[in-house]
């Protein structure tokens, strides 16, 4: 099946129909290095005492802890911590793209991470993890690979088996969709082999992402700006947002008016005082009203639209019309209209002179109202019918992310993090580590027969529901065409564990809120439909036809468990009959303006990605976070806006690589992955078909495209007199103006100014002496605010941070003490956030870290006489903000830790070991003083007010929602707010002086 492509003169002919793939063969893999010290040596005999256990390897330690609860002493459960290897990022001779030899049949070269991360020296490398797994595998009777039941999990299982050179006779694959005792036992009873076809589908995805991402990212770095990235999926996602942004920019607003009548049954005696001044309602915001756009909006919140409903988020044809209520005016409902008094109702003009009313300006609306002044209002049609409102399907990954955002204001990253914990297991009082939901990466709505019977029994027996809420047959939902039906929908593992019960057992925070949503959705999906009585009145008045609609819920059905997202307008109309005359209490004219399509929020973007087939549900969270980190989009008030650099990059990619940026290509490749998994085609043919035209386009773009820079006409550099040019940066997502002589070897000019015209200052040498060497400290600005480094760096590694109150604190100071582990470097004296002194080796390969005295001398912990249960190393006393605890001295290789109970406390006291006290807790509200400045910014998640808070990471501040912890929205400092803070701090300093 050929991959769809846009027609062009250079497009090659589609290849002939592919042959069905032969029986799957192992994927060609080339290792980065021949030596694998963690591999199990083939032919190894059993260890002394024989092989007494089976080794189960899962992906996370939380999952391992939960599974371990259901298995006896005959099993040992260890975690691989996700992927153990990845395609090498270093290009070797003969490779067209780093890690891939395309001409040699798409051979992939993997590398195992053995380098310690500078940012987290405590983290174990993949090499460390594989060494541990290899040691235990050599002692095990069988090795059971229990990674997640999807393509990525299958590839992880293959990678572990390949890296450890496991004996196929003793290595098996087990899969389960939920971590319950029954599911684990069933999986253990049915061990399988690694699905090679599924691995090849994942290999094809990984190879395609590499051959698209690496070359395009390099091209953007040369032509646009360094630090940019491109990809098969992320670039198309950015294009969606850029296209929407341009729709909004090109949208032309039109004015229109509506006429609404306030009516009541004749003779009802309802008192109403009509006021001509209040009967004409103007829109608050008019097109081109920049002052209105800049001012904080006091309009009602934008209505929440359910992305799962058939209707679009907005129709692009209506706009809010709302005016400030005058003193003493009646209470007003949505759209600025007053709330009808009891017994009255609103009816909107829907026809005028037999056609749709086209009221394009105020004069046209005035003319209609004038013609209606003395005409009778008579009911011409009454329609009453019942409408069934059916429940939605149980959650898939996509719908879970959408609903969690709409209902709970949880981002996709927060949603998936909480769902991962619920799937792997959380600690519940009396139950231990317990998994609460099924596998959370799925696009299937299937429910297992056992789960279906259980939930129907629960609904039938529930005192809050009962037989009337149970349909005669189970509700069945269709999955998408690409859904993997071996999976299930996301549901509770045990429906009898209600949200209230889970909360009583200790479930809290995001995990509780998400579990409640998943539980309610699952129970609701098997409830009877809600029945809504809908009443429609048509009212004739002169040349006009007015229509009123009311609805009332007759039977709650599934809504008793899970109410709809959107606020339902449950308004019951007064009883009237056909040909009944009505009293006209008032006529309202409301001004409206057509609105452009809304910007994407996280829910609507996930829906668009799913609709267009861009990526998989499990990748949506990664896509959204990546395009934000790369500076392509910014999220403001919960909506995504494309940055200037996103538009530049999108235009460049569409111009040079139309096929990659085509939505149909991206979605069709996902279908081809399904065909690879089912054996309908070979993954090498799919990749070969793409690589030929793409490599030609890549070469042409590298030769023909000019760097995206623009010389500023009529202006020269104020420092050197050279030309100025507009350049883009991934750091801010926009452009800056810089001197063209910045690359001059003899006299480089560093002049730069931002898009607002403010000069960008570089590092500044201060008059602050270094406490170690006496040289001056250099002031710099980083992600977490202002910090200082020594002018003598890297010879002198002294650093300082600037606290929120303006004082400086030394964060790293060289000592005269040599590292006792590597014996090469002088130790650095540091201070933790709790104020505790410690020393650390500056060499990233040396992991030495120890408590110290004020001079930087390592403090040897007292001998506790207690050995680690995992590795046998002595346990030492450590202290954290919760108090003292025991930690393995083999840390970070061994991370075992245990709390100190009363028995251990007495045991340590008998050895003369005095336990250190926990660091004092600061009182609520204590801490660095926050400048008193007006905060006008709104929360990006709930649009509520925000407050200024000091950052934990050195000096600086950030904005936090005032509704915390209910809303955890945060925002970075804006340049304007930072200027106000600096001015307030300056005034405070002057007053103190």
């Amino acid at each position: 099946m050929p991959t769809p492509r846009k027609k062009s003169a250079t497009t090659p002919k589609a290849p002939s129909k592919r042959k069905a793939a032969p029986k799957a063969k192992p994927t060609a893999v080339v290792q980065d290095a021949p030596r694998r010290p963690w591999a199990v040596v083939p032919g190894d005999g059993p260890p002394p005492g024989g092989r007494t256990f089976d080794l189960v390897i899962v992906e996370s330690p939380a999952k391992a802890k939960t599974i371990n609860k259901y298995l006896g002493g005959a099993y040992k459960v260890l975690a691989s911590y996700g992927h153990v290897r990845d395609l090498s990022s270093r290009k070797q001779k003969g490779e067209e793209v780093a890690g891939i030899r395309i001409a040699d049949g798409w051979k992939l070269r993997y590398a195992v991470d053995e380098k310690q991360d500078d940012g987290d020296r405590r983290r174990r490398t993949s090499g460390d993890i594989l060494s541990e797994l290899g040691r235990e595998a050599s002692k095990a009777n069988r090795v059971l690979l229990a990674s997640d039941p999807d393509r990525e999990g299958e590839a992880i299982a293959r990678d572990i088996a390949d890296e450890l050179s496991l004996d196929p006779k003793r290595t098996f694959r087990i899969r389960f969709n939920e971590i319950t005792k029954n599911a684990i036992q069933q999986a253990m009873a049915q061990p399988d082999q690694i699905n090679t076809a599924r691995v090849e589908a994942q290999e094809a995805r990984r190879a395609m992402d590499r051959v698209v991402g690496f070359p395009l990212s390099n091209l953007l770095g040369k032509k646009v700006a360094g630090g940019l990235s491109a990809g098969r999926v992320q670039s198309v996602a950015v294009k969606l947002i850029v296209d929407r942004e341009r729709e909004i920019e090109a949208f032309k607003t039109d004015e229109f008016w509506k006429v609404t009548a306030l009516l009541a049954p004749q003779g009802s005696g309802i008192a109403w005082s009509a006021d001509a001044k209040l009967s004409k309602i103007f829109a608050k915001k008019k097109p081109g009203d920049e002052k209105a756009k800049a001012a904080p909006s006091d309009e009602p919140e934008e209505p929440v639209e359910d992305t799962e409903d058939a209707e679009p988020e907005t129709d692009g044809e209506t706009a809010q019309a709302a005016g400030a209520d005058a003193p003493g005016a009646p209470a007003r409902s949505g759209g600025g209209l007053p709330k009808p008094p009891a017994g009255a109702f609103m009816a909107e003009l829907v026809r005028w002179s037999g056609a749709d009313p086209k009221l394009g300006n105020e004069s046209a609306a005035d003319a209609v109202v004038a013609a209606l002044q003395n005409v009778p209002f008579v009911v011409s049609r009454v329609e009453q019918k019942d409408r069934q409102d059916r429940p939605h399907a149980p959650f898939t990954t996509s719908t879970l992310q959408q609903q969690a955002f709409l209902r709970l204001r949880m981002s996709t990253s927060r949603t998936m993090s909480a769902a991962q914990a619920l799937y792997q297991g959380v600690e519940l009082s009396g139950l231990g580590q317990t998994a609460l939901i099924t596998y959370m990466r799925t696009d299937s709505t299937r429910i297992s027969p056992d789960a279906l019977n259980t939930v129907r029994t629960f609904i039938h027996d529930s005192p809050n529901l009962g037989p009337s809420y149970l349909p005669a047959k189970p509700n069945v939902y269709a999955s998408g065409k690409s859904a993997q039906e071996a999976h299930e929908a996301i549901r509770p593992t045990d429906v009898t564990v209600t949200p209230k019960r889970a909360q009583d057992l200790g479930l809290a925070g995001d995990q509780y809120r998400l579990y409640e949503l998943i539980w309610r959705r699952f129970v609701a999906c098997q409830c009877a439909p809600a029945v809504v009585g809908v009443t429609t009145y048509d009212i004739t008045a002169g040349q006009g036809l007015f229509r009123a609609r009311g609805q009332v819920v007759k039977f709650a059905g599934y809504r008793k468990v899970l109410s709809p997202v959107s606020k339902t307008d449950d308004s019951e109309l007064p009883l009237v009959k056909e040909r009944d005359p009505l009293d006209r209490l008032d006529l309202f004219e409301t001004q409206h303006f057509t609105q452009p399509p809304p910007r994407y929020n996280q829910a609507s973007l996930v829906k668009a990605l799913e609709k267009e087939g861009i990526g998989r549900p499990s990748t949506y969270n990664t896509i959204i976070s990546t395009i934000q980190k790369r500076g392509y989009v910014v999220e403001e008030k919960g909506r995504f806006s494309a940055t200037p650099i996103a538009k530049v990059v999108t235009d460049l990619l569409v111009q040079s690589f139309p096929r990659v940026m085509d939505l149909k290509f991206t979605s069709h490749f996902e279908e081809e992955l399904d065909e690879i998994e089912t054996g309908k085609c070979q993954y090498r043919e799919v990749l070969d078909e793409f690589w030929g035209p793409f490599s030609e386009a890549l070469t042409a773009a590298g030769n023909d495209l000019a760097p995206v820079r623009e010389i500023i006409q009529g202006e020269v550099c104020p420092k050197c007199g050279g030309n100025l040019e507009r350049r883009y940066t991934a750091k801010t997502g926009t452009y800056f103006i810089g001197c063209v002589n910045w690359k001059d070897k003899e006299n480089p000019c560093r002049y730069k100014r931002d898009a607002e015209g403010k000069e960008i200052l570089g590092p500044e040498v201060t008059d602050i002496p270094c406490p170690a060497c006496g040289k001056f400290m250099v002031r710099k600005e980083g992600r977490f605010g202002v910090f200082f480094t020594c002018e003598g760096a890297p010879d002198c590694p002294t650093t300082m941070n600037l606290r929120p109150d303006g004082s400086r604190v030394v964060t790293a100071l060289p000592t005269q003490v040599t590292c006792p582990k590597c014996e090469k470097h002088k130790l650095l004296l540091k201070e933790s956030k709790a104020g505790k002194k410690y020393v650390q080796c500056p060499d990233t390969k040396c992991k030495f870290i120890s408590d110290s005295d004020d001079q930087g001398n390592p403090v040897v912990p007292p001998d506790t006489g207690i050995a680690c249960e995992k590795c046998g190393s002595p346990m030492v006393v450590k202290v954290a903000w919760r108090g003292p605890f025991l930690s393995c001295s083999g840390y970070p290789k061994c991370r075992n830790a245990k709390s100190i109970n009363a028995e251990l406390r007495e045991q340590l006291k008998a050895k003369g070991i005095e336990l250190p006290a926990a660091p004092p807790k600061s009182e609520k509200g204590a801490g660095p003083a926050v400048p008193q400045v007006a905060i006008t910014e709104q929360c990006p998640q709930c649009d509520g007010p925000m407050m200024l808070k000091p950052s934990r990471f050195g000096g600086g501040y950030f904005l936090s929602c005032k509704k915390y912890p209910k809303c955890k929205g945060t925002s970075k400092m804006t340049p304007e707010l930072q200027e106000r803070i600096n001015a307030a701090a300056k005034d405070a300093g002057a007053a103190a002086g």
Side-chain angles (χ1 to χ4, degrees):
M1 187 175 185
T3 305
R5 54 177 68 83
K6 290 186 176 181
K7 294 181 179 180
S8 66
T10 58
T11 302
K13 291 182 179 180
S16 58
K17 191 173 182 179
R18 298 192 192 99
K19 298 177 182 178
K23 191 174 181 180
K25 297 179 181 179
T27 308
V29 174
V30 179
Q31 293 301 322
D32 199 22
R35 179 179 174 273
R36 290 183 287 180
W38 43 77
V40 178
V41 179
D44 268 359
R51 295 188 171 100
T52 58
F53 64 89
D54 286 346
L55 176 64
V56 180
I57 301 178
V58 296
E59 288 172 300
S60 75
K63 191 174 175 182
K65 187 176 180 181
T66 307
I67 293 175
N68 205 38
K69 185 175 75 169
Y70 302 123
L71 300 176
Y75 294 90
K76 180 176 285 189
V77 187
L78 295 178
S80 70
Y81 293 84
H83 287 276
V84 295
R85 67 182 186 183
D86 196 2
L87 287 176
S88 176
S89 58
R90 294 185 177 182
K91 189 175 180 181
Q92 289 186 354
K93 187 177 180 181
E95 293 179 343
E96 292 84 349
V97 181
I100 305 177
R101 294 213 303 267
I102 298 174
D104 200 11
W106 291 88
K107 287 187 177 178
L108 309 182
R109 180 172 57 86
Y110 285 95
V112 174
D113 177 23
E114 296 184 76
K115 184 179 179 182
Q116 192 66 46
D117 187 356
D118 293 349
D120 187 1
R121 300 186 185 194
R122 300 170 298 177
R123 184 184 69 87
R124 289 196 300 170
T125 65
S126 297
D128 296 335
I129 295 166
L130 284 170
S131 296
E132 179 187 16
L133 297 178
R135 285 194 304 269
E136 298 302 324
S138 64
K139 307 172 188 175
N141 178 40
R142 296 186 303 168
V143 178
L144 304 172
L145 303 172
S147 47
D148 289 341
D150 55 12
R151 291 175 188 155
E152 192 173 9
E154 207 73 21
I156 290 174
R158 192 283 310 269
D159 290 346
I160 294 172
D162 189 56
E163 284 295 329
L164 297 181
S165 299
L166 296 177
D167 183 358
K169 296 179 181 179
R170 296 192 298 114
T171 304
F172 300 92
R173 175 82 167 103
I174 59 173
R175 304 177 187 88
F176 40 82
N177 287 320
E178 58 184 75
I179 307 176
T180 59
K181 187 174 183 178
N182 288 339
I184 299 299
Q185 289 177 346
Q186 288 178 12
M188 292 294 183
Q190 300 172 345
D192 195 6
Q193 299 298 316
I194 294 172
N195 188 324
T196 308
R198 186 174 291 179
V199 172
E200 288 199 341
Q202 179 65 20
E203 294 277 336
R205 177 194 295 277
R206 190 69 193 91
M208 177 68 86
D209 290 343
R210 174 59 63 90
V211 299
V212 172
F214 267 40
L216 289 188
S217 298
N218 291 336
L219 180 69
L220 293 179
K222 295 174 182 177
K223 305 297 183 180
V224 183
L228 293 176
S229 70
R232 176 184 63 86
V233 173
Q234 77 169 54
S235 296
V236 181
V238 172
K239 183 177 182 293
L240 284 177
I241 298 173
V242 169
D243 289 347
R244 177 60 58 88
E245 195 74 26
R246 285 175 169 158
E247 281 185 68
I248 296 170
E249 292 170 355
F251 186 84
K252 292 183 179 179
T253 299
D254 293 324
E255 179 184 3
F256 67 98
W257 287 70
K258 290 183 180 180
V259 175
T260 307
L262 177 61
L263 305 171
Q266 193 175 56
S268 58
I270 296 174
W272 180 268
S273 178
D275 187 338
K277 293 181 179 179
L278 298 177
S279 297
K280 186 174 290 187
I281 304 168
F282 293 92
K284 276 190 174 183
K285 289 186 179 181
K286 298 179 173 57
D289 189 354
E290 297 301 325
K291 181 179 272 189
K293 290 180 183 178
S297 173
D298 54 351
E299 291 185 28
E301 276 190 32
E302 181 180 356
V304 177
E305 299 289 345
D306 194 339
T307 54
E308 290 186 87
D309 289 342
E311 294 80 8
E313 193 173 359
T314 84
D315 57 12
E317 290 295 329
T318 60
Q320 255 179 358
D325 292 343
R332 294 184 178 268
S333 60
L337 291 170
K339 185 177 181 180
F345 61 95
M346 291 287 187
E348 184 181 324
L349 181 68
V350 293
R351 305 286 286 179
W352 184 255
S353 297
D356 292 338
K358 296 181 179 179
L359 310 179
N361 51 50
E362 183 180 358
S363 300
D366 288 343
V368 169
V369 170
L372 292 169
Q373 286 302 321
N374 298 312
V375 299
F377 283 72
V378 180
V379 179
S380 58
R381 184 177 71 95
V382 174
E383 181 185 75
Q384 292 180 329
K385 60 181 180 179
D386 290 345
R387 176 176 61 85
Q388 282 196 338
D389 179 18
R390 300 184 182 279
H392 286 294
F395 279 135
T396 63
T397 305
S398 168
T399 53
L400 174 64
Q401 291 173 345
Q402 294 175 50
Q403 292 293 304
F405 178 83
L406 294 173
R407 294 175 179 269
L408 308 178
R409 287 300 177 188
M410 290 174 61
S411 66
T412 55
S413 59
R414 281 176 61 193
T415 299
M416 295 310 293
S417 176
Q420 182 91 14
L422 292 172
Y423 165 68
Q424 293 176 346
V426 292
E427 193 71 28
L428 297 180
S429 177
L431 298 180
Q433 192 84 359
T434 305
L436 291 175
I437 66 170
T438 55
Y439 190 52
M440 69 290 165
R441 294 188 182 96
T442 177
D443 47 10
S444 173
T445 57
R446 188 182 72 87
I447 303 173
S448 69
D450 289 345
L452 203 56
N453 292 333
T454 303
V455 70
R456 286 176 60 82
T457 302
F458 177 85
I459 294 170
H460 182 277
D461 298 342
S462 172
N464 295 324
L465 298 172
S468 61
Y469 286 84
L470 185 67
K473 295 181 180 180
N475 296 330
V476 180
Y477 301 91
S479 301
K481 63 179 181 179
S482 61
Q484 301 179 50
E485 287 303 328
H487 291 176
E488 276 195 70
I490 302 172
R491 61 170 176 80
T493 56
D494 183 357
V495 75
T496 62
V497 180
T498 64
K500 179 66 171 63
R501 183 184 171 196
Q503 189 177 39
D504 293 341
L505 294 174
L507 194 66
D510 284 352
Q511 294 172 4
Y512 165 73
R513 296 167 68 213
L514 193 66
Y515 178 70
E516 181 183 27
L517 179 61
I518 293 170
W519 187 91
R520 289 185 178 278
R521 176 70 169 239
F522 176 61
V523 174
C525 83
Q526 291 304 315
C527 285
V531 179
V532 181
V534 181
T535 303
T536 304
Y537 294 161
D538 281 359
I539 300 105
T540 303
Q543 303 177 58
L545 178 68
F546 287 79
R547 183 164 293 157
R549 279 196 178 93
Q551 66 177 36
V552 62
V553 177
K554 292 185 175 180
F555 176 65
Y558 81 93
R559 292 187 179 188
K560 192 168 184 180
V561 181
L562 184 66
S563 59
V565 173
S566 305
K567 293 181 180 179
T568 55
D569 184 17
D570 293 335
S571 57
E572 190 170 3
L573 298 178
L575 292 176
V576 296
K577 302 187 299 295
E578 289 186 8
R579 291 191 291 277
D580 277 1
L582 302 174
D583 289 337
R584 176 182 64 81
L585 305 180
D586 211 337
L587 281 173
F588 298 97
E589 303 171 56
T590 53
Q591 182 189 37
H592 302 261
F593 293 96
T594 56
Q595 295 291 294
R599 290 183 171 90
Y600 290 109
N601 59 26
Q602 294 211 17
S604 57
L605 181 57
V606 166
K607 182 181 180 182
L609 293 173
E610 183 180 39
K611 178 183 176 182
E612 299 294 346
I614 301 172
R616 282 287 186 186
S618 59
T619 64
Y620 295 156
N621 169 40
T622 306
I623 294 169
I624 292 173
S625 62
T626 299
I627 62 178
Q628 288 180 276
K629 289 176 183 176
R630 301 303 183 190
Y632 291 130
V633 301
V634 292
E635 189 174 12
E636 297 176 336
K637 295 185 179 180
R639 297 280 175 177
F640 290 117
S641 300
T643 60
I645 202 169
K647 299 177 182 178
V648 171
V649 168
T650 299
D651 290 343
L652 185 148
L653 293 177
V654 170
Q655 173 190 345
S656 302
F657 307 95
R659 184 183 176 194
V660 173
M661 299 297 285
D662 187 0
L663 298 180
K664 292 182 179 179
F665 163 74
T666 306
S667 61
H668 188 68
F669 180 68
E670 298 294 338
E671 296 174 5
E672 289 181 313
L673 293 178
D674 294 335
E675 293 181 352
I676 294 171
E677 182 176 342
T678 55
K680 293 181 180 179
C681 64
Q682 298 184 30
Y683 89 97
R684 291 182 181 86
E685 290 185 1
V686 174
L687 297 175
D688 281 336
E689 180 187 346
F690 168 79
W691 176 250
F694 177 73
S695 60
E696 294 174 5
L698 195 64
T699 302
N703 296 332
D704 301 340
L705 288 179
V708 183
R709 290 174 185 169
E710 177 188 353
I711 298 294
I712 306 299
Q713 302 296 331
E715 188 178 1
V716 296
C717 175
K719 289 190 175 181
C720 71
N723 288 329
L724 294 175
E725 64 179 0
R726 187 195 307 268
R727 299 199 297 269
Y728 288 86
T729 172
K731 185 177 181 181
T732 61
T734 185
Y735 68 88
F736 67 93
I737 306 298
C739 181
V740 297
N741 295 325
W742 64 284
K743 278 190 175 181
D744 193 301
K745 293 183 179 180
E746 296 182 359
N747 297 305
C749 180
R750 303 297 184 190
Y751 175 77
K752 290 188 294 185
R753 69 169 187 260
D754 59 24
E756 284 74 35
K758 184 179 178 181
E759 185 176 354
I760 302 172
L761 301 175
E764 177 185 357
V765 179
T766 68
D767 58 356
I768 303 170
C770 172
C773 67
K775 294 182 179 179
F776 292 116
M777 301 296 289
V778 180
R779 184 183 185 276
K780 297 181 180 179
E781 288 193 25
R783 284 195 308 150
F784 304 122
V786 177
F787 67 100
F788 300 87
T789 62
C790 180
E791 195 178 18
D795 296 331
C796 179
T798 304
T799 59
M800 297 179 181
N801 278 351
L802 190 65
R803 286 174 171 160
D805 59 3
S807 62
R808 296 181 298 274
V809 57
V810 177
T811 50
L813 188 69
T815 68
Q816 298 303 314
V817 182
T818 303
C819 174
K821 185 175 181 181
C822 66
E823 299 180 348
K824 294 179 180 179
H825 305 278
K826 300 294 184 182
L827 294 176
L828 291 180
L829 178 62
K830 297 186 175 183
E831 184 176 322
S832 69
K833 294 174 185 175
K836 191 176 75 171
K837 300 285 185 182
Y838 68 98
V839 286
Q840 191 173 34
C841 182
D843 188 354
T844 57
K845 294 181 180 179
C846 178
K847 301 175 184 178
F848 179 78
I849 185 171
S850 171
D851 295 339
S852 73
D853 57 22
D854 293 342
Q855 285 70 43
N857 297 304
V859 175
V860 179
D863 182 15
T864 61
I866 302 172
C868 174
E869 301 93 332
K870 291 187 176 181
C871 69
S873 301
M875 301 288 280
V876 295
V877 177
K878 297 280 187 179
V879 65
W881 64 275
R882 287 182 177 175
F885 66 98
L886 289 177
S887 173
C888 180
S889 59
Y891 180 88
K893 285 189 175 182
C894 178
R895 294 169 173 261
N896 187 28
K898 60 192 301 184
S899 58
I900 300 177
N901 55 27
E903 181 182 350
L904 286 174
R905 193 178 293 271
E906 291 299 324
Q907 185 177 340
L908 294 173
K909 186 176 180 181
K911 291 181 175 290
I913 300 175
E914 185 176 348
L915 296 178
K921 295 182 180 179
S922 58
E923 295 182 7
K924 188 175 181 180
V930 177
Q932 298 300 313
V933 294
I935 306 298
T936 58
E937 286 76 7
Q938 292 178 311
C939 176
Q941 291 191 16
C942 70
D943 292 336
M946 303 197 79
M947 60 190 297
L948 198 64
K949 285 190 175 181
S951 171
R952 293 184 300 144
F953 305 100
Y957 303 90
F958 70 100
L959 292 173
S960 173
C961 184
K962 281 190 174 182
K963 298 178 184 177
Y964 179 86
K966 185 176 180 181
C967 175
K968 298 182 180 179
T970 60
S971 179
K972 293 181 180 179
M973 299 286 294
T974 62
E976 297 78 9
L977 180 57
Q978 187 62 56
E979 288 181 3
R980 297 202 303 269
I981 291 174
N982 294 341
K986 186 176 180 181
D987 294 341

